[in-house]
Amino acid sequence: MKNDFNFLFACLFGFFAMAVQAQQSEIPVNPRNYVCYRTSTALTVDGFLTEPAWQNVAWSEFFTDIEGSLKPDPIYKTRVKMLWDSKFLYIAAELEEPHVWATLTERESVIFNDNDFEIFIDPDGDTHNYVEYEMNAFNTQWDLLLLKPYRDSPKQNVVIDNWNFNGVKSMVHVDGTINDCKDTDRGWSLEIALPLDALKEISSTGKLPVQGEQYRVNFSRVEWLVDVVDGKYKKRTQLVGRKEKILPENNWVWSPQGVIAMHQPETWGFLQFSEKIAGEGFDAYLPDPDNDVKLAL
């Protein structure tokens, strides 16, 4: 009971401390949710989502702009689905894209300088000690551990850039030809296995997830507008004064934040674990009654 009280106090104090600096949305923020079922057999991570377990779970809603209804719907569709077993949290995604391109090949590059797919996970929902994982269409990866949201320590480094998600598996399948301007692609799909042992290390419980447990998660897709110049893709620019500047990227997400700020974990979506095997029953999503109180604080 004492440990539960201390954890609740830490959560409430953390939410109170950041409320002053959090960016306030102009629209109601209603985090999305996804019930994640088990797979009875380990999945082969190859980027092809053809295994029976994947066929037995639903896709998420299509991604929206990070600001939600304040901005138009994304021009290309993106969606995810999830599974888990005793070792991994499996994540699959489909990204519609007529021009698949990538440039970065070195691990730990700043991947969002390319079009990318990003994962954010806070296992215990206290907004501290959470994971960010990014990858591009070359399957180049960047994994980070954030000790707290940027706003909590604006003058301090809160990012552990040299942290590695040991044991992660990922693969990309391009439905088309990457970096070929002369054709039209259908898009790219990806498959990722995130080790639960690594996630439990940053959870207050220090244990693997159990039936009904919920993680705070979100997914982001960075999309740059490009033109074909001299047979290559080039980020679109505009003239500002006498200088050409690259147009800002699009930020498309699973659960809208209401503001251009991914690092507000309290407005991410909810992943609820189910012990049921995919295709053998359903569990209802059960919201934590304390969620509204935490968000209000």
Side-chain angles (χ1 to χ4, degrees):
M1 179 65 71
K2 182 178 179 181
N3 289 338
D4 290 342
F5 174 80
N6 289 340
F7 174 65
L8 179 60
F9 178 80
C11 289
L12 294 178
F13 180 80
F15 276 95
F16 175 77
M18 69 184 155
V20 177
Q21 297 180 357
Q23 295 187 43
Q24 299 300 310
S25 172
E26 297 179 16
I27 59 173
V29 176
N30 298 305
R32 289 175 166 176
N33 61 79
Y34 189 94
V35 176
C36 183
Y37 296 98
R38 290 188 68 112
T39 172
S40 57
T41 58
L43 300 181
T44 300
V45 178
D46 56 10
F48 294 90
L49 313 179
T50 55
E51 291 170 279
W54 282 129
Q55 305 307 308
N56 286 327
V57 293
W59 285 105
S60 71
E61 306 92 333
F62 287 118
F63 283 24
T64 182
D65 189 89
I66 193 171
E67 295 184 81
S69 60
L70 294 174
K71 293 293 178 66
D73 289 335
I75 57 176
Y76 305 131
K77 291 182 172 60
T78 314
R79 58 184 182 174
V80 298
K81 59 172 61 177
M82 290 172 272
L83 287 162
W84 72 296
D85 60 21
S86 60
K87 293 184 177 180
F88 294 101
L89 171 62
Y90 299 97
I91 297 170
E94 283 187 346
L95 296 83
E96 183 182 55
E97 175 61 72
H99 301 289
V100 180
W101 63 273
T103 65
L104 301 169
T105 58
E106 184 177 349
R107 187 181 174 89
E108 312 303 346
S109 300
V110 181
I111 302 299
F112 61 74
N113 284 324
D114 283 353
N115 288 347
D116 80 348
F117 181 80
E118 305 178 0
I119 302 170
F120 299 82
I121 303 179
D122 181 6
D124 52 23
D126 65 354
T127 78
H128 286 50
N129 299 320
Y130 61 89
V131 170
E132 178 178 355
Y133 179 89
E134 303 184 9
M135 61 189 295
N136 65 7
F138 275 153
N139 194 28
T140 307
Q141 303 157 42
W142 184 24
D143 44 13
L144 308 92
L145 176 65
L146 289 99
L147 304 180
K148 58 186 72 174
Y150 293 112
R151 61 171 182 255
D152 282 16
S153 298
K155 295 182 180 180
Q156 298 179 9
N157 181 17
V158 298
V159 181
I160 301 179
D161 191 31
N162 288 325
W163 178 83
N164 283 328
F165 217 145
N166 292 332
V168 66
K169 303 176 184 179
S170 68
M171 193 61 67
V172 168
H173 167 65
V174 176
D175 191 351
T177 49
I178 193 167
N179 290 333
D180 187 346
C181 307
K182 295 186 290 294
D183 66 358
T184 300
D185 308 312
R186 295 188 63 182
W188 52 297
S189 60
L190 57 90
E191 194 172 11
I192 306 168
L194 301 177
L196 288 173
D197 277 346
L199 291 174
K200 76 177 185 180
E201 286 185 354
I202 57 174
S203 169
S204 60
T205 68
K207 299 178 181 179
L208 295 175
V210 297
Q211 169 71 25
E213 186 171 350
Q214 295 177 356
Y215 282 8
R216 298 306 299 264
V217 303
N218 212 345
F219 304 97
S220 173
R221 173 180 178 177
V222 169
E223 182 80 9
W224 299 89
L225 294 175
V226 295
D227 296 307
V228 177
V229 179
D230 297 328
K232 296 181 179 180
Y233 292 117
K234 180 183 178 183
K235 290 178 183 175
R236 188 170 298 173
T237 62
Q238 64 180 1
L239 195 62
V240 179
R242 297 184 177 181
K243 294 184 178 180
E244 278 197 1
K245 292 192 175 181
I246 296 174
L247 290 175
E249 74 278 13
N250 291 295
N251 292 279
W252 301 332
V253 303
W254 169 52
S255 192
Q257 299 283 97
V259 293
I260 305 176
M262 276 306 299
H263 292 272
Q264 293 194 164
E266 72 276 15
T267 50
W268 294 349
F270 291 92
L271 181 160
Q272 178 176 301
F273 289 92
S274 170
E275 291 282 359
K276 288 186 172 66
I277 300 299
E280 298 183 5
F282 297 94
D283 278 339
Y285 169 69
L286 300 175
D288 184 339
D290 293 334
N291 288 334
D292 290 340
V293 176
K294 293 177 181 179
L295 187 59
L297 285 170

